[in-house]
Amino acid sequence: MKWAVVVDSSSDMACMKQEIEEAANGNVLFESVALKLEAGEVEFTDDETLDVDEMISYLKSYSGKSGSASPSPQEWYDAFEQADNVIAITITSELSGSYRSACAAKDMIQEDYPDKNIFVLDSKSTGPEMVLLARKAVSFALEDISFDEMQQKMLKYQKRTHLIFALENMDNLIKNGRVNKLEAGVAALLGIKILARASVQGTLEIMKKARGKTKVYDKMLEEMLDYGYIGGHVVISHCNNEAMAGYLRLKILEKYPDSQVDIIRTRGLCSFYAEEKGVLVGYERIEA
Ligand code: X90
């Protein structure tokens, strides 16, 4: 196998292996490497076998300490070993050790297999923006481009992809130190939704706070348009919020009827941090 595209499970892609490999006619290998969620003695592995609803209801009934863990270098290594050319796409290195783990795995592989090429891309983001990046990497791999071209093209494409999200609850982000407590604090008040985005550096940047059922999603679309969205691909990932994901999709299609808007469900990691009703949107901007 010439190319492998490997993501971590923060991309919500753990169940997409078959679909992606079939669409690529078996010419590209796809793997998702799992992060883990821990609640006391119980551990959830964010792979294709995880029952996300069961995890969410367990966490609802559990009041102790909970957290997450990035994949080990060995887990990345096992995926990297399967191809000659590999592109790995990780959750932002600002919030997780996943990128560092993948880089350690790359060093191990290059000791053992000096001829393999591994490119580890820090998405500076997560969730649906990683879906856009991974899909693009698969399509470049099918063009049979060189390893250097893959790196250049992906870094160029990454400049055009973006992540914006609306959250109703930031408890797990705050408790695990992934967001500034003072900044987020007011979100704890009932009925307030937070609009935030992945900053250029890959940190969580709070933009607005809004009340009301649809207001935050209207603002989200306004921000997307301000930021250069003119009808490219959009991937919406939601945690039990089909209604608002659908609402947003409709609004985008009203404005740009030809755009492709896919809706997927958050899996383990993003369900844990984005929490019930969280909606994450990855989109493409105009060419810089
Ligand atoms: O290594 C680990 O334990 C994983 C830690 C991940 C922490 C943040 C996950 C966020 C998931 C919620 C909002 C998106 C924030 C993106 C900012 C760049 C989804």
Side-chain angles (χ1 to χ4, degrees):
M1 187 73 62
K2 204 174 175 314
W3 274 101
V5 176
V6 185
V7 295
D8 67 40
S9 66
S10 73
S11 60
D12 300 314
M13 297 179 84
C15 297
M16 296 186 193
K17 179 177 169 66
Q18 197 184 350
E19 171 194 331
I20 290 175
E21 290 183 348
E22 273 176 18
N25 281 321
N27 292 316
V28 178
L29 193 86
F30 179 80
E31 291 293 343
S32 169
V33 174
L35 286 103
K36 286 168 197 82
L37 290 312
E38 291 147 358
E41 298 291 290
V42 181
E43 185 179 86
F44 301 93
T45 301
D46 190 14
D47 63 14
E48 72 286 357
T49 66
L50 177 70
D51 184 331
V52 178
D53 294 324
E54 204 179 283
M55 183 196 89
I56 291 172
S57 67
Y58 180 84
L59 289 171
K60 261 187 208 160
S61 68
Y62 171 83
S63 54
K65 210 167 134 31
S66 56
S68 58
S70 56
S72 67
Q74 189 61 47
E75 287 163 304
W76 284 108
Y77 183 103
D78 293 343
F80 293 175
E81 216 177 3
Q82 301 178 51
D84 302 327
N85 291 311
V86 176
I87 169 166
I89 305 170
T90 75
I91 183 172
T92 172
S93 61
E94 290 284 339
L95 298 182
S96 167
S98 187
Y99 174 76
R100 245 160 303 141
S101 246
C103 289
K106 172 185 165 164
D107 292 346
M108 287 155 62
I109 285 278
Q110 285 179 335
E111 286 265 308
D112 298 350
Y113 306 93
D115 292 338
K116 284 193 197 287
N117 296 309
I118 318 271
F119 171 39
V120 183
L121 178 66
D122 178 352
S123 74
K124 306 273 180 199
S125 183
T126 189
E129 186 177 353
M130 287 175 69
V131 178
L132 293 173
L133 292 168
R135 280 191 190 154
K136 191 61 106 182
V138 171
S139 74
F140 287 147
L142 286 171
E143 288 171 19
D144 208 21
I145 59 174
S146 71
F147 182 70
D148 285 345
E149 278 174 313
M150 174 67 91
Q151 298 190 56
Q152 285 158 22
K153 281 173 180 267
M154 284 303 292
L155 289 168
K156 192 166 172 220
Y157 179 63
Q158 188 185 20
K159 292 203 171 84
R160 297 204 286 123
T161 60
H162 208 68
L163 177 75
I164 187 162
F165 47 94
L167 306 178
E168 297 200 1
N169 181 341
M170 298 183 98
D171 285 355
N172 285 337
L173 280 166
I174 296 170
K175 278 188 205 150
N176 285 283
R178 315 283 167 170
V179 67
N180 183 303
K181 195 176 178 162
L182 281 177
E183 232 186 307
V186 74
L189 299 176
L190 213 63
I192 294 192
K193 299 180 181 69
I194 292 280
L195 184 64
R197 69 177 166 198
S199 70
V200 180
Q201 301 77 27
T203 55
L204 192 161
E205 186 180 311
I206 294 177
M207 301 165 79
K208 286 192 170 77
K209 290 159 186 157
R211 236 177 238 282
K213 196 164 151 48
T214 57
K215 206 167 170 191
V216 77
Y217 303 98
D218 295 329
K219 283 194 175 162
M220 191 185 245
L221 183 57
E222 276 169 33
E223 289 291 342
M224 286 170 62
L225 298 173
D226 278 358
Y227 218 63
Y229 176 71
I230 52 161
H233 285 186
V234 178
V235 178
I236 304 175
S237 172
H238 69 90
C239 184
N240 292 330
N241 203 349
E242 193 76 52
M244 286 305 122
Y247 174 81
L248 199 56
R249 179 171 189 271
L250 208 72
K251 289 277 167 188
I252 294 168
L253 290 174
E254 264 172 23
K255 190 97 192 153
Y256 293 106
D258 295 330
S259 56
Q260 183 190 331
V261 184
D262 300 324
I263 298 182
I264 63 173
R265 295 189 59 201
T266 52
R267 294 208 43 88
L269 197 270
C270 283
S271 296
F272 178 75
Y273 284 109
E275 307 208 30
E276 281 284 309
K277 302 286 181 273
V279 176
L280 290 83
V281 181
Y283 65 98
E284 293 175 340
R285 291 158 53 183
I286 47 175
E287 206 125 7

